[in-house]
């Protein structure tokens, strides 16, 4: 089994009757172990719904999603939560952090939830991640005392605490300026090079251009797919152009 995620004919509807919205209209997608996949598409095209479906965060209406060999919809909520907590990491546009905890304590929360008793060990792990993401020295800061870019780095540290096999990121650079966004993307590339698969939702062609493969969504379907060579770090412009050309070709 080379796939970490296998989604087949995924359908997701919201609401009933006249109000019903089909957010995913029979989507089939595979993510290989260690692969970096970006999802691009207009607002409302189903990107976030796809991320929620593939991560088991949301129940699907039809079709199937497997994590390795495990069919997510067949799991009880506890077992599903366990997989999400121990094998998956999540990063959103705005990291939700607890206001009454400092940055370090926010980062170690998932490890505490996982039941690790050795707080010295988890603190050490968190500090190593903070160093790696360039926010060493901010451990004791209140979450209101750091910049948006620093808070997002902390969000990434938190997502990596349990060493996930896949990182799900929904518009992780959406609230950041270009410089911070570039730095965060550089970080995601390194995390991927170290073996973590990534599913990244973005509406920014430059952001998507770092991936191994870009999926383009429109009206709840994947309408096109663009495989790219492994990112070398110096081919950014050409990659961005390829993504933009494909967007134009499919009309998004
Ligand atoms: P994207 O992330 O590409 O902007 P979404 O996946 O959030 O799009 O949404 C896809 C469609 O599903 C949209 O029409 C949206 O309004 C609808 N939708 C998403 N979440 C819900 C929800 N919880 N209830 C009702 N409709 C929803
Ligand atoms: Mg979205």
């Amino acid at each position: 089994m080379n796939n970490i995620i296998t989604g087949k004919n995924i359908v997701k509807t919201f609401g009933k009757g006249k109000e019903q919205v089909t957010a995913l209209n029979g989507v089939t997608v595979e993510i290989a172990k260690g692969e970096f996949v970006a999802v691009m598409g207009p607002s409302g095209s189903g990107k976030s719904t796809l991320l929620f479906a593939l991560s088991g965060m949301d129940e699907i209406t039809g079709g199937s999603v497997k994590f390795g060999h495990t069919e997510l919809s067949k799991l009880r909520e506890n077992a599903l939560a366990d997989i999400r907590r121990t094998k998956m990491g999540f990063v959103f546009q705005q990291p939700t952090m607890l206001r009454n905890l400092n940055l370090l304590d926010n980062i170690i929360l998932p490890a505490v939830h996982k039941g690790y008793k050795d707080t010295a060990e988890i603190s050490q792990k968190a500090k190593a991640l903070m160093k790696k993401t360039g926010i060493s020295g901010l451990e004791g800061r209140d979450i209101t005392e750091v910049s948006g870019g620093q808070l997002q780095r902390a969000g990434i540290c938190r997502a990596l605490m349990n060493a996930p096999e896949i990182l799900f990121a929904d518009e992780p650079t959406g609230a950041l300026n270009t410089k911070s966004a570039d730095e965060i993307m550089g970080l995601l590339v390194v995390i991927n090079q170290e073996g973590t698969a990534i599913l990244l939702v973005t509406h920014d062609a430059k952001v998507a251009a770092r991936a191994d493969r870009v999926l383009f969504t429109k009206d709840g379907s994947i309408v096109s797919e663009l495989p790219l060579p492994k990112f070398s770090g110096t081919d950014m412009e050409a990659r961005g152009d390829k993504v933009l050309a494909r967007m134009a070709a499919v009309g998004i």
Side-chain angles (χ1 to χ4, degrees):
M1 166 60 76
N2 195 38
N3 283 355
I4 182 160
I5 304 275
T6 310
K8 285 208 177 106
N9 293 317
I10 306 165
V11 174
K12 175 68 183 178
T13 59
F14 291 105
K16 287 207 164 79
K18 265 195 184 168
E19 308 284 296
Q20 193 175 78
V21 175
T22 302
L24 297 176
N25 197 5
V27 172
T28 292
V29 55
E30 297 183 2
I31 302 174
K33 285 179 182 156
E35 195 183 13
F36 187 167
V37 176
V39 181
M40 287 202 79
S43 182
S45 62
K47 304 184 297 296
S48 295
T49 307
L50 181 62
L51 182 143
F52 281 101
L54 296 178
S55 59
M57 290 264 279
D58 212 352
E59 259 178 52
I60 55 177
T61 314
S64 136
V65 176
K66 282 187 182 160
F67 181 82
H69 291 290
T70 309
E71 175 70 49
L72 292 182
S73 62
K74 294 219 171 96
L75 294 177
R76 290 169 187 275
E77 186 47 45
N78 274 351
L80 186 57
D82 221 46
I83 288 187
R84 281 198 303 257
R85 214 164 36 225
T86 58
K87 308 235 156 90
M88 301 174 176
F90 293 89
V91 179
F92 299 102
Q93 186 166 343
Q94 311 268 10
T96 25
M97 300 262 179
L98 298 178
R99 279 180 170 268
N100 55 337
L101 296 181
N102 66 29
L103 218 53
L104 178 67
D105 288 338
N106 266 292
I107 291 169
I108 69 176
L109 261 190
V112 174
H113 280 153
K114 196 181 171 188
Y116 279 147
K117 294 286 184 298
D118 189 342
T119 48
E121 188 191 320
I122 59 177
S123 287
Q124 215 167 32
K125 197 167 172 194
K127 285 179 183 164
L129 284 168
M130 290 178 83
K131 185 168 182 209
K132 178 176 182 168
T133 56
I135 51 169
S136 280
L138 303 182
E139 290 83 1
R141 291 276 184 96
D142 203 275
I143 61 160
T144 55
E145 295 171 338
V146 297
S147 72
Q150 289 168 333
L151 197 64
Q152 191 57 293
R153 286 163 196 258
I156 291 171
C157 291
R158 186 180 56 182
L160 295 178
M161 269 309 282
N162 292 335
E165 291 173 31
I166 181 165
L167 189 66
F168 292 95
D170 194 351
E171 308 268 11
T173 59
L176 304 176
N177 62 39
T178 310
K179 183 165 174 283
S180 294
D182 275 348
E183 288 165 1
I184 292 289
M185 284 314 300
L187 209 52
L188 292 187
V189 167
V190 170
I191 289 162
N192 174 249
Q193 282 165 350
E194 290 172 355
T196 310
I198 298 182
L199 182 75
L200 167 80
V201 166
T202 181
H203 57 255
D204 185 336
K206 263 191 80 181
V207 168
R210 264 101 162 174
D212 303 326
R213 187 154 58 99
V214 186
L215 309 176
F216 298 86
T217 56
K218 202 173 168 183
D219 300 330
S221 298
I222 292 175
V223 293
S224 189
E225 212 179 292
L226 177 69
L228 292 165
K230 208 77 194 162
F231 181 46
S232 74
T234 56
D235 52 350
M236 214 27 239
E237 203 138 327
R239 301 171 77 92
D241 288 347
K242 271 192 193 170
V243 175
L244 286 170
R246 182 62 65 91
M247 285 172 75
V250 296
I252 62 175

